[in-house]
Every structure is written in structure tokens, then in C-alpha cells.
Amino acid sequence: MESKTTDFKKLVNRRKVVSKICTIMCYISMVFVLLSLAIPFFLVIISMFKSRSDVFPTKFNNLFELIFSYKDGFIVENFNRLAYLEYYSLGINFFKSLGMTLLVSATATILSLFVNSLAGYAFARLNFPGKKIIWIIVISSMFIPGITILLTSISVVSSLGLINTFMGLVLPGVASAYNIFFFRQFYMGFPKDYDESARVDGCNSFSIFFRIYLPSSSTPMVIMGAGTFIGFFNSYLWPTLIIDQDHKELTQIMTTINKLFNESATLGYGAVLAAAFIALIPAIIVFIIVQRYIKEGIALTGVK
Amino acid sequence: MEKAQKRRFSLLPKKKTTEEKVSGLICILPAFVLLVIFVFVPLVMSIFRSFYFYESGPVEPYFVGFANYAVIFKDEVFRKAILNDLIMTVTIVGLEVILSYIFANILVKIKNKFGVFVRTIIYLPYLLSGIVIGVIFSLLTTYDGGVINGIIQLCNGEKIGFQFDKFWAYVSIIVPTIWVGFGYTTLVFYSGLINIPKDHLEAASVDGASFLRTTFSIILPSLKNYIVLVVVTLVTSNLQMFEIPMMMTNGLPSNSTMTPVLYLIHCRANGNVSQSEIIAASILIMLVIGAINAVVFTLSNRKEKK
């Protein structure tokens, strides 16, 4: 009997030790992941203040000198140079391009939230002829790779006269089956009694949407809106293909950064890093806003 | 009074249905029209044009049947690109799924504020554009003076030519791609893991199931839908990868890191391949993606029957 209790105690202790080792290894791996996320950003921030020859140092004796190679000083000129890009062979103003990209993304996001939420509501709550077929068609659009329709969409956009236009940058990405799907799922979770009592009171489908569904849609709006905004902001291929050299004011930010990257010999890689850093600020701001919103939402409803 | 009320209710359903029908159609109209104009019309046009010779310019398009497809099949670079793409995608998806599954388990275990912090932060790289990722990682991989080669030099080692050596060129594309998608994949697995009913796990530990047994008999089957979702999403997006390869290696060395989409972009820029051939190639890419996803679905359903 005694040996059995000591055996049992040994087993429990062994399990405790194993569990502690597991926990320590968990923390180590989390730190490792955090480091691998943080180090690239850290290096970018360090290097964007370096002069052309310091960004890729050739003479260094230790790790400190390799990373903190400020032989030509800590310069802010990289950022200034971005403002004067048009005077270099690149011909584009970085900050104008950034502003235009923000404008395009914001417009596209607002339009997209409106169009997709309305469609999501209709698929969730209204009955109309051909609903099932149209839904299948909408869903199937999610499975079409971008490259397959790239060249022909350029033809379509061109024949609509939207090449080199603001709307040509905005419209093609506004309707998104993924967003419609998300809104539909969300709206299907609403209790139907609200609809019915509203209809008894004489509301039509539109006013039901605007008075009941839309005001409560802040969660999917924030999430879908953030995704759409970042998607438009980050887009490279479409804006590069439909905005040509004669319309530099519409050039989107990723096209500009890619150009900078390819011609980094002229300005030094520090300027390219400065540009990339500025370009990731909007994404981080959007991310922080969404995080705060989700946390506040949880605090209000009290649901974990 | 009662009669009037009864009549009112019997009138309502009729009005409701017609009004609902019309409103419904109006509500979906903007989205549907946009999808038709910018997705379905181009799709149909692509399918048609792939069977014609089509080029912008004076020449009128004429029917060529499968000639465009034949040209692409004979194109060595395209075949190589598809092969590279498959190799890289399998590596990326395999590594990413395994690593993020392990890390999701770790996140489930560590529930304190540190865990919440990590869970938030890992999503950040997913918000970045491929162009920005390329700029960031090129800082590391530049041959002369890049951070990685600098560290290697300090250790008196041989510098790595990320654009000259086939293996390291692959690494320079695979690592950033995993770095980007890791947060998304981990969070999907995390939400899958926390949704497993606790009684299943408790029953298993009471029955004395070992770690491996619990994993394979309880956790993985519950996560099946999440795993399929992640694999399909990753496979679809990675088969079309082009921004990161473009920035890191641009197909070097000698097309060993060329991907199909990147190759088509090059072809369009160079103008040596007709537009209809590019379109036919893009349809082939769509078929490859569709085929692989079909395989993934079939495999996942077969496991269920077992």
C-alpha cells in the first residue's frame, strides 16, 4: 500500500516537471516567433536612416558595426528625397501617390461596404426569383484566379473608357463574393421577428435594412472595411497595368515603391526602406483601430 | 373592427411578396452587375480568346483551336515555372500548416496577457503588400552588405548568393511567404482548437489517452474543416504567387524560381508572346488550381469514410 502511494506521488511529480518544461518551451517558442516578426521591422527602421553607402556596409568588425553603420551620419534626408522624386528620373511624387492611394482605398471601401452589405442582406432575408442560381453564380466568382481575367478585364475596362481613371482603379474590386458571403452569414443570425414586426408596421424591405440591419452591422463593417481598405492599398498589379506614364497623379503607392526598388541605385536603398516604412503605417493604423474596436465590442457585450 | 383587421392581414402577404421580390433584386443589382462586368464577362472573354489568335493591333482575330495551348505546353519556361510553383507551394503549405498548428496549440496553452499579445501581433505581416515584403527581406538577402551575409562574413563563412544559388533562391522566397501567412494560419487553427468541446478532451485524458492518441483521434478530426480551409486557401493563393518572387529573385537563377504568373507578366511586358497565348496559359493555371483543390477535397472526404 505504501509503495503504491509513493509511486503515485512520483508519477504526479514527474508530470509536474514535464508540464513545467513544456510551459518553458512554449514561452521560448513564443519569444522566438516574436523575434522573427520583430527583427525585420527593426532592421528596416535602423536602416532607413542610413546614407546610400551605409545601408549595405562593406567594412565592419562586429555585429554592432554591421547593423548600426552610421558612418555618414544619421540622416533624415531619405524621407526628404521621397518628396522630390519627380525631379529624379522617376517622375512621381511619393507623397502625392500615397495620398491618391489612400483616397482610392477609402472610396473603394465605402462603396464596397454599401454594395456588399446590401447584397448580403438580400440573400439573407429577401426572397426573389432566381435567388439560388444567382447565389451560386456569386459564390463561383470566388474561385476564379485573378490572372485568368486580368488581360480581358483590361479590355473591358478599356472599352468602358476607365483606363487611367480614378473609377477604373476603384470599381473592379468593389463587389466581392467573399464580403457578400460574410454579410449574409451575419444577417442570417438576426432574429426574424424584428423584420416581421417592422413589416406589420408598414416598413418596406429597404427601410428594414436601413433601420434595423445596417445600424447593427458595425462589427462586420469594421472587419470587412479594414480588409477591403488594406487590399486596395496593397494592390500592385492592377494599378500598374491600367495607369500609364502619362497619368502620374493617379499612380498608386505600390507601383511607386516598386519603381523605387528597381532604381534604388539612384537614391540609395535607405530611401526605398523609408518609402516602404511609410507605406506600412496605414496598414498598422487600420489594424490598431480594428483591434481597439473588437476589444471595446467585447467589453460592451461582456462576451469573451 | 375585427373584420377590418382580418382584411388588413390578408392583404399584407401579397404586397409583401412582390415588394420583397423587387427589393431583393434591386439590392443585389449593384453587386451582381459589378461582378458580371468585371469578373464573368472577362472570364467568358478569356475562354473564347484562348481559342483564337488575339493581339491588340491591326490583325483580326482568327480561330486557331488548341494551337495556343499547344504553344504553351511546348514552352520550356512555362513548364519549368509550373514545376517550380508546385514545389514551392507544397513546401510552403506543408511547412506553414505544421508550424502554425504547433504554434496554435502553444497559444491555446498560454492564456495570459502575453499570449493575447502574441496572438494579436502575429497577424501584422499578413497586412503587408508583397512589394513591401520584398523590400524588407531584400535588406537581409543582398549579397554585398545584406544583414545575413554580413553576419556570415563576421563568422568567416562563405557568403550566400540568394539570387545565384538555386536552393537559397527557393529559401529566399519560401521564408518570406511563410512569414506573411503564419499569423493568418495560426489564428484559424487557434479558433478551431478553442472550439473543440472540452468534454471530448477531458474524456480522453480520463481514459488515459496518450498525447499522440488524443491528437489523432480527437483534435485533428474536429479540426478537419479548418485544415481543409487553410490548405485550400494557401494552395490557391500560393500557386498564383508572383510579387514575392518578383521582388526577391525575379525568376533567377536561370528561371529556377520563375512562377507561372510572374512568367506571364514578363511575357506581356516583353511582347514576344501573343495576348491569346497568355490568356490560354492563364486558363491552364486556373485548371491547375482547380485540379489541385479538387484533389484536396477528395482526400479530405476519403478520410471521413475511413
Side-chain angles (χ1 to χ4, degrees):
Chain A
M1 284 287 280
E2 260 192 27
S3 59
K4 276 190 183 168
T5 13
T6 33
D7 277 342
F8 181 69
K9 278 186 186 169
K10 276 186 191 171
L11 185 67
V12 170
N13 283 329
R14 204 180 301 156
R15 276 203 169 168
K16 278 186 185 170
V17 170
V18 167
S19 163
K20 274 190 181 167
I21 295 179
C22 263
T23 318
I24 294 176
M25 290 186 64
C26 285
Y27 275 101
I28 293 178
S29 57
M30 285 167 86
V31 170
F32 181 72
V33 166
L34 278 183
L35 280 178
S36 60
L37 252 44
I39 288 179
F41 288 114
F42 170 74
L43 290 169
V44 168
I45 295 176
I46 295 287
S47 303
M48 62 187 188
F49 294 108
K50 293 183 184 174
S51 72
R52 182 179 321 190
S53 47
D54 280 338
V55 178
F56 296 117
T58 42
K59 290 184 185 163
F60 44 90
N61 300 320
N62 51 42
L63 191 63
F64 183 82
E65 277 182 35
L66 168 65
I67 295 180
F68 294 96
S69 54
Y70 291 111
K71 297 209 170 94
D72 288 346
F74 191 89
I75 59 172
V76 193
E77 211 191 305
N78 284 327
F79 291 92
N80 292 333
R81 283 194 195 138
L82 290 176
Y84 297 109
L85 285 183
E86 34 198 347
Y87 301 112
Y88 292 83
S89 58
L90 289 157
I92 341 157
N93 183 325
F94 177 79
F95 291 103
K96 275 191 193 168
S97 182
L98 182 66
M100 181 54 75
T101 313
L102 289 172
L103 195 63
V104 166
S105 308
T107 315
T109 305
I110 295 173
L111 280 178
S112 143
L113 286 176
F114 178 69
V115 165
N116 293 327
S117 62
L118 206 56
Y121 162 71
F123 283 115
R125 279 293 185 259
L126 304 176
N127 276 313
F128 47 91
K131 183 177 175 184
K132 275 188 184 169
I133 303 175
I134 297 180
W135 177 242
I136 295 178
I137 295 177
V138 165
I139 289 294
S140 65
S141 73
M142 279 202 282
F143 298 105
I144 302 174
I147 184 69
T148 315
I149 53 175
L150 186 69
L151 292 181
T152 39
S153 338
I154 296 179
S155 296
V156 168
V157 164
S158 168
S159 48
L160 289 172
L162 291 176
I163 297 275
N164 285 318
T165 64
F166 185 84
M167 274 305 161
L169 288 168
V170 168
L171 284 179
V174 164
S176 153
Y178 178 77
N179 288 8
I180 298 176
F181 182 86
F182 203 86
F183 278 114
R184 175 181 179 261
Q185 288 301 112
F186 183 74
Y187 290 144
M188 276 165 67
F190 276 54
K192 282 191 179 175
D193 329 326
Y194 288 148
D195 297 38
E196 284 171 11
S197 51
R199 284 198 197 280
V200 167
D201 289 343
C203 280
N204 63 18
S205 308
F206 285 106
S207 44
I208 294 181
F209 177 68
F210 285 106
R211 289 187 190 185
I212 302 177
Y213 286 82
L214 197 55
S216 317
S217 313
S218 44
T219 314
M221 290 272 178
V222 166
I223 299 177
M224 296 287 105
T228 310
F229 185 84
I230 292 180
F232 271 90
F233 188 80
N234 286 343
S235 59
Y236 165 73
L237 193 55
W238 180 253
T240 310
L241 290 177
I242 69 163
I243 305 287
D244 63 30
Q245 299 281 29
D246 298 326
H247 292 82
K248 296 224 166 76
E249 62 281 357
L250 284 173
T251 318
Q252 298 288 281
I253 196 66
M254 290 304 156
T255 318
T256 313
I257 294 181
N258 188 45
K259 263 199 172 170
L260 270 176
F261 179 77
N262 289 331
E263 305 194 21
S264 59
T266 328
L267 285 163
Y269 204 70
V272 185
L273 289 172
F277 181 76
I278 296 179
L280 50 89
I281 291 177
I284 296 183
I285 293 178
V286 168
F287 180 72
I288 293 177
I289 294 176
V290 172
Q291 285 297 315
R292 284 235 173 113
Y293 180 81
I294 293 180
K295 281 188 185 156
E296 274 176 35
I298 292 177
L300 282 173
T301 59
V303 175
K304 245 196 174 170
Chain B
M1 270 287 279
E2 268 189 32
K3 271 191 182 174
Q5 272 182 340
K6 268 191 181 172
R7 252 199 295 162
R8 188 174 160 221
F9 277 125
S10 65
L11 273 174
L12 269 175
K14 273 194 201 165
K15 251 186 157 181
K16 183 177 106 177
T17 326
T18 336
E19 186 269 333
E20 204 179 302
K21 279 185 188 173
V22 171
S23 303
L25 288 171
I26 296 179
C27 283
I28 61 152
L29 196 68
F32 191 70
V33 165
L34 284 172
L35 282 179
V36 165
I37 296 179
F38 293 111
V39 176
F40 290 107
V41 165
L43 178 66
V44 171
M45 281 171 71
S46 280
I47 297 177
F48 265 99
R49 283 189 189 176
S50 69
F51 295 112
Y52 282 72
F53 173 83
Y54 192 91
E55 187 62 84
S56 47
V59 183
E60 275 294 310
Y62 53 90
F63 186 74
V64 289
F66 284 97
N68 288 326
Y69 291 94
V71 168
I72 299 160
F73 276 117
K74 288 183 197 157
D75 188 332
E76 266 187 42
V77 182
F78 188 76
R79 287 205 308 259
K80 206 172 186 184
I82 297 255
L83 189 65
N84 297 334
D85 202 22
L86 289 173
I87 295 175
M88 285 198 278
T89 303
V90 168
T91 318
I92 291 172
V93 176
L95 282 176
E96 204 172 316
V97 167
I98 295 174
L99 289 174
S100 46
Y101 175 74
I102 295 175
F103 198 66
N105 275 296
I106 294 175
L107 284 179
V108 168
K109 221 181 169 198
I110 312 285
K111 296 192 181 93
N112 52 23
K113 276 191 179 172
F114 184 58
V116 175
F117 173 71
V118 173
R119 233 188 295 150
T120 328
I121 291 285
I122 50 171
Y123 200 69
L124 272 174
Y126 195 66
L127 306 174
L128 303 181
S129 156
I131 307 286
V132 169
I133 306 274
V135 167
I136 295 176
F137 277 85
S138 292
L139 180 65
L140 296 176
T141 62
T142 310
Y143 189 68
D144 282 314
V147 177
I148 294 181
N149 277 331
I151 295 177
I152 292 179
Q153 274 183 302
L154 285 173
C155 303
N156 291 319
E158 244 186 73
K159 291 201 284 190
I160 300 176
F162 284 96
Q163 291 186 345
F164 309 121
D165 181 79
K166 272 191 191 178
F167 173 74
W168 290 107
Y170 271 57
V171 170
S172 75
I173 294 177
I174 291 176
V175 170
T177 312
I178 295 183
W179 190 79
V180 168
F182 185 72
Y184 167 77
T185 330
T186 308
L187 288 179
V188 171
F189 282 141
Y190 176 80
S191 51
L193 285 171
I194 59 177
N195 279 325
I196 297 181
K198 276 191 179 169
D199 5 317
H200 293 183
L201 295 169
E202 277 171 16
S205 68
V206 162
D207 287 344
S210 73
F211 174 72
L212 282 173
R213 190 100 178 87
T214 333
T215 314
F216 283 101
S217 304
I218 299 183
I219 298 183
L220 288 183
S222 314
L223 284 185
K224 202 189 72 146
N225 288 331
Y226 291 88
I227 297 179
V228 170
L229 169 73
V230 160
V231 170
V232 167
T233 317
L234 283 181
V235 162
T236 309
S237 64
N238 280 316
L239 282 174
Q240 299 175 63
M241 70 161 94
F242 105 95
E243 276 170 8
I244 293 183
M246 179 177 78
M247 303 294 286
M248 300 304 289
T249 62
N250 212 17
L252 300 168
S254 58
N255 289 329
S256 58
T257 56
M258 183 62 81
T259 65
V261 177
L262 182 60
Y263 180 55
L264 291 185
I265 304 293
H266 278 195
C267 285
R268 185 175 184 276
N270 291 336
N272 55 353
V273 177
S274 76
Q275 219 189 80
S276 47
E277 283 164 19
I278 296 179
I279 292 175
S282 69
I283 293 195
L284 278 181
I285 295 175
M286 178 170 79
L287 293 175
V288 168
I289 295 177
I292 294 186
N293 282 331
V295 168
V296 172
F297 273 119
T298 333
L299 282 178
S300 70
N301 285 331
R302 244 208 303 163
K303 275 184 186 171
E304 204 175 73
K305 283 181 185 172
K306 260 192 176 180

